[in-house]
Amino acid sequence: MNKAAIVKIFAVLGEPTDNRPWRDYSGYGLTAADAPTLVELVADNSFVESEGADYWVPLHSWRALLHLMPAGLHELIGIFDVVAEDDWALDEIPTVVAAACDAALDPLLDYVLDKRNDEFAIPLALQCLVETGKRHSKLRKPVIERLVYALKHSAARDYGLRGLIVAELVALRAVEAMPAIRVAFAEDQVDWTVSGDLEDVELGMGLRTKRDTPRPSYKVEEDDADDEDEDDAPLIEQVIRAEPKIGRNEPCPCGSGKKYKKCCMP
């Protein structure tokens, strides 16, 4: 199927409803051979400027890839630097990539460890790894093994990346990774402002119920400086997103009167 034909199909589907199951795209005649074209549409920023229904073509394209995986996997990973700028994509791309099962693991690990990749896209690759482990119980162990490998083999001064890796290991409650995590902290190789300190990690893993030492300052915003800090609450769990997603065509919450996508949308 050519690109124009796919756009014609997806342009009439319009905006999806939040918190509803994804549409079944299998009835549109798409095959594995169409996966590279779908990835092209995901990366096509020209739709962002549209005021019409075709604005949603990239979203329908990445959702359509779900049932075709692992077809298009490498092409999709190759545009992580593009989709990492889209908040909706950040929420949904890990689900798509996880559908590739074990075929996704090594390409994602390679992406994480490749310093040529965009620093804002690497967290997306980590999220994809974690989502794969969560959705496929048999892959949880291989995912944890790759995260531990990345923890040990990331660039010497990449403290922030190791902080992110530790946070993702906590998200998986990967207690078996604690020996490697403790070594990384002992060697001062983890940015604890990203992952929390070792006691925060142990709290997040369920290995302790309270801190033995005062929590260090994590450079909170001035507006939050007066808030009470519960020392025994795992810091890492605070990164979980709780607020509802703002629709791209809804009024911007800043009060400008413009649509969110034309104003403050990241």
Side-chain angles (χ1 to χ4, degrees):
M1 192 179 301
N2 63 39
K3 189 173 182 178
I6 297 175
V7 171
K8 185 176 180 180
I9 293 171
F10 290 167
V12 299
L13 299 183
E15 181 176 0
T17 304
D18 231 356
N19 302 318
R20 294 283 296 276
W22 293 8
R23 181 186 298 271
D24 181 1
Y25 296 85
S26 60
Y28 294 113
L30 297 164
T31 69
D34 298 311
T37 303
L38 290 170
V39 174
E40 285 184 37
L41 291 171
V42 172
D44 190 341
N45 288 324
S46 66
F47 293 103
V48 175
E49 300 301 322
S50 174
E51 293 289 343
D54 61 347
Y55 179 86
W56 299 99
V57 166
L59 179 143
H60 291 297
S61 297
W62 72 59
R63 287 187 174 188
L65 282 165
L66 178 72
H67 300 294
L68 302 178
M69 283 284 145
L73 172 67
H74 293 278
E75 293 89 345
L76 184 59
I77 292 175
I79 62 164
F80 273 6
D81 59 328
V82 177
V83 296
E85 300 177 2
D86 186 318
D87 189 52
W88 205 312
L90 287 175
D91 285 345
E92 297 192 353
I93 292 296
T95 300
V96 176
V97 173
C101 299
D102 56 344
L105 302 188
D106 287 335
L108 289 170
L109 175 62
D110 291 343
Y111 192 94
V112 168
L113 293 177
D114 190 340
K115 289 297 294 178
R116 295 171 297 179
N117 290 323
D118 189 281
E119 63 178 322
F120 297 107
I122 288 175
L124 175 57
L126 288 172
Q127 291 167 33
C128 290
L129 270 172
V130 171
E131 189 68 17
T132 303
K134 287 181 175 179
R135 288 182 176 269
H136 308 285
S137 58
K138 67 178 182 178
L139 296 180
R140 181 181 181 276
K141 181 179 178 181
V143 165
I144 291 171
E145 289 173 348
R146 283 161 176 79
L147 289 171
V148 170
Y149 183 92
L151 182 66
K152 293 178 177 178
H153 293 88
S154 50
R157 297 183 180 179
D158 209 340
Y159 306 108
L161 173 57
R162 282 188 286 275
L164 289 169
I165 293 169
V166 169
E168 297 296 3
L169 286 166
V170 173
L172 284 169
R173 293 296 177 100
V175 176
E176 57 268 51
M178 283 306 302
I181 291 173
R182 290 192 173 105
V183 168
F185 273 101
E187 295 178 352
D188 196 22
Q189 292 294 307
V190 181
D191 184 347
W192 47 265
T193 67
V194 175
S195 64
D197 68 359
L198 183 58
E199 288 190 27
D200 276 322
V201 171
E202 291 171 344
L203 283 166
M205 292 285 195
L207 297 176
R208 62 165 63 229
T209 58
K210 63 180 181 179
R211 294 185 62 91
D212 292 332
T213 63
R215 174 170 289 147
S217 171
Y218 289 101
K219 301 179 181 179
V220 296
E221 298 290 336
E222 290 185 7
D223 291 345
D224 299 329
D226 296 330
D227 291 347
E228 292 292 330
D229 182 22
E230 296 293 336
D231 276 351
D232 294 340
L235 179 71
I236 294 174
E237 292 186 1
Q238 295 177 10
V239 303
I240 298 175
R241 178 177 175 171
E243 70 274 12
K245 189 187 301 174
I246 302 169
R248 302 180 186 196
N249 288 316
E250 293 179 15
C252 187
C254 76
S256 67
K258 299 179 181 179
K259 291 182 179 181
Y260 182 48
K261 69 181 182 181
K262 294 292 186 180
C263 192
C264 295
M265 190 178 83

